[in-house]
Amino acid sequence: MESKFDQHILRENTRSVKWDLVKTLYGADDILPMWVADMDFLVPEEVKKALIKRAAHGVFGYTFTDPALNKLVTSWLDERFQWKVSPASILYSPGVIPTLNMAIQAFTNIGDKILIQTPVYPPFHDSIRNNGREVVENPLILNGSKYEIDFDDMEAKIKEGVKAFVLCNPHNPVGRVWTKEELTKMAELCDQYDVFIISDEIHADIVYSGHHHIPIASLNTKLKNRTITCLSPTKTFNLAGLQVSYAVVEDEGIRKQLEKTFHKNGMHMINTMGITALEAAYQHGHAWLDDLVTYLETNVELVEYSFQNTEIRVIKPEGTYLVWLDFRSLGFTHDELKDWLVKSAKVALNDGITYGKEGEGFMRLNVAAPSSLVTQAVHRIKKALKKLAS
């Protein structure tokens, strides 16, 4: 039976970064875009109706958030992750990366060391450097087809004076959903050495069977005093262009300090339509999300199966709709790999080297698209592989 996610939505000529910048960025308009982390799916019908109703009102002045919205958000966290937080702990922002930047400014000083686990989402690097802080890398270890944390290296780096740790869970791009044991070890190190935690959990809702997302701040009460958790409905419900997110900050003093930094930077208001979409999604989106995760998991399995017995290794994600692909056995330099994918395979993927030096020889594939498009992308790559072998 055909799924609602099988529908092809034409996104060209909508100023879509993913689709309308292909020629500008990749030099040709016959490239299949499987890169930017948004989805090629319609939002839930209730979200669409709520936005249309709000647009019909015709006045779009300043909008505020209220306790009812906070309660809806905390109910979502309780139902999805069994995480009970006070509605007062919710602080809204235009996005997770703005929150990351504000947290770095609020809780570290220029020159401070901030730890990240590479390869990781490029704005982590940028947010640290652009604010005059020092990037400290705790490289993840690829053990077979699964990434693991090097805890000895993590502790050694922290002991050198790290002031904050930016966690990515579920991890982008390697797809790990960190276990309770792994999160507990990270939390204990941060507690032992007085390290502040900024946790990007924007992909928390997209986790596959056999895995469960655990917010690091939910592990124990001590973490409330040193953790900011960044979340959003944007990845979950394909709302990225509406620029709405929130942070869970359970410690009142930390929350007030972060809020003050947002005001200082003139970033204390969010998009009117983003608020509308968040409300509708969290009220009505549960069943849609469950169907989405099932569909995405099928797409992941499609990619894994398709690249069996080829030179390309699939790092199967436990969460996110992003698949990390290992092309190193092809023997290309990284620039040659990029050139080959665009010119021979005619597929646009995210460049692995932008996630850190550990990403050399890797690329990130976005499977949040109709299965027919994912199949087309995989077939293009396999066809290019056959040409190499001939």
Side-chain angles (χ1 to χ4, degrees):
M1 185 175 71
E2 188 173 88
S3 165
K4 56 180 171 286
F5 300 112
D6 286 326
Q7 183 180 359
H8 280 246
I9 308 299
L10 296 178
R11 298 185 62 192
E12 291 91 340
N13 302 312
T14 64
R15 295 192 175 93
S16 163
V17 169
K18 185 176 183 180
W19 287 86
D20 288 330
L21 288 183
V22 167
K23 187 172 184 179
T24 300
L25 296 175
Y26 293 93
D29 54 13
D30 60 346
I31 310 297
L32 184 61
M34 307 297 289
W35 58 304
V36 176
D38 65 15
M39 298 191 279
D40 291 322
F41 304 136
L42 290 176
V43 300
E45 188 64 23
E46 295 86 352
V47 174
K48 186 176 178 181
K49 287 178 179 178
L51 290 169
I52 291 171
K53 181 179 178 180
R54 184 64 184 86
H57 182 265
V59 178
F60 309 103
Y62 298 120
T63 309
F64 66 94
T65 56
D66 57 18
L69 191 66
N70 291 11
K71 187 176 180 180
L72 179 63
V73 169
T74 56
S75 294
W76 179 268
L77 298 176
D78 187 11
E79 181 169 338
R80 305 303 296 194
F81 316 120
Q82 298 75 56
W83 186 23
K84 297 184 185 298
V85 299
S86 165
S89 66
I90 306 301
L91 184 64
Y92 297 93
S93 86
V96 165
I97 295 308
T99 301
L100 172 58
N101 278 271
M102 296 303 102
I104 287 171
Q105 292 178 25
F107 304 106
T108 66
N109 297 308
I110 290 175
D112 278 354
K113 295 179 178 181
I114 300 178
L115 185 81
I116 57 176
Q117 294 172 317
T118 51
V120 74
Y121 188 44
F124 281 21
H125 304 256
D126 298 337
S127 297
I128 295 168
R129 294 192 180 105
N130 291 344
N131 282 292
R133 278 65 168 173
E134 179 183 343
V135 173
V136 176
E137 297 181 356
N138 168 224
L140 299 173
I141 300 170
L142 181 54
N143 185 1
S145 292
K146 182 177 180 178
Y147 280 87
E148 298 174 348
I149 297 167
D150 186 339
F151 284 103
D152 290 336
D153 178 75
M154 184 177 185
E155 182 170 14
K157 298 284 177 61
I158 286 177
K159 287 169 71 173
E160 293 174 358
V162 164
K163 298 298 182 183
F165 166 43
V166 184
L167 172 65
C168 193
N169 182 35
H171 192 281
N172 173 10
V174 308
R176 278 301 314 278
V177 177
W178 303 118
T179 65
K180 185 175 182 178
E181 181 183 12
E182 289 167 323
L183 291 167
T184 298
K185 287 183 180 180
M186 289 188 277
E188 287 174 347
L189 286 173
C190 290
D191 187 60
Q192 180 179 352
Y193 295 101
D194 194 24
V195 174
F196 195 82
I197 302 171
I198 308 164
S199 187
D200 175 359
E201 302 186 14
I202 195 170
H203 293 279
D205 293 311
I206 301 173
V207 172
Y208 301 128
S209 54
H211 305 280
H212 179 67
H213 176 75
I214 302 171
I216 192 169
S218 70
L219 291 177
N220 63 62
T221 55
K222 290 189 295 184
L223 286 169
K224 295 179 182 180
N225 302 321
R226 66 171 69 257
T227 306
I228 292 172
T229 306
C230 306
L231 295 135
S232 174
T234 54
K235 296 298 181 192
T236 309
F237 294 103
N238 205 22
L239 306 172
L242 296 182
Q243 298 181 315
V244 59
S245 78
Y246 56 91
V248 180
V249 193
E250 297 186 81
D251 181 89
E252 184 180 4
I254 294 174
R255 188 169 61 253
K256 287 183 176 179
Q257 190 171 347
L258 181 60
E259 189 172 20
K260 181 178 179 180
T261 305
F262 268 103
H263 279 267
K264 180 181 176 181
N265 286 275
M267 298 186 67
H268 55 285
M269 299 194 74
I270 58 175
N271 189 302
T272 298
M273 302 302 266
I275 295 172
T276 300
L278 183 157
E279 183 176 41
Y282 280 7
Q283 283 179 336
H284 307 291
H286 292 274
W288 183 94
L289 174 57
D290 292 342
D291 291 344
L292 170 73
V293 172
T294 299
Y295 190 86
L296 292 173
E297 190 161 15
T298 299
N299 278 354
V300 169
E301 291 169 354
L302 185 160
V303 172
E304 184 182 38
Y305 177 79
S306 297
F307 285 129
Q308 282 183 343
N309 303 315
T310 73
E311 297 89 339
I312 299 168
R313 180 165 54 152
V314 176
I315 311 302
K316 188 175 182 179
E318 299 167 349
T320 82
Y321 49 76
L322 309 166
V323 180
W324 194 232
L325 299 176
D326 182 355
F327 291 88
R328 290 176 298 173
S329 67
L330 293 179
F332 288 139
T333 67
H334 196 76
D335 285 341
E336 288 171 343
L337 173 60
K338 290 192 295 183
D339 192 62
W340 176 76
L341 282 167
V342 171
K343 293 183 179 178
S344 296
K346 298 290 184 180
V347 175
L349 306 181
N350 282 103
D351 182 0
I353 202 71
T354 63
Y355 299 83
K357 60 182 179 294
E358 296 80 11
E360 185 172 358
F362 292 80
M363 292 284 166
R364 192 188 75 172
L365 168 69
N366 177 354
V367 298
S371 294
S372 57
L373 279 183
V374 177
T375 299
Q376 185 180 348
V378 168
H379 283 176
R380 287 187 181 196
I381 295 171
K382 290 181 72 175
K383 184 177 180 181
L385 283 173
K386 288 182 180 179
K387 287 182 182 178
L388 281 178
S390 62

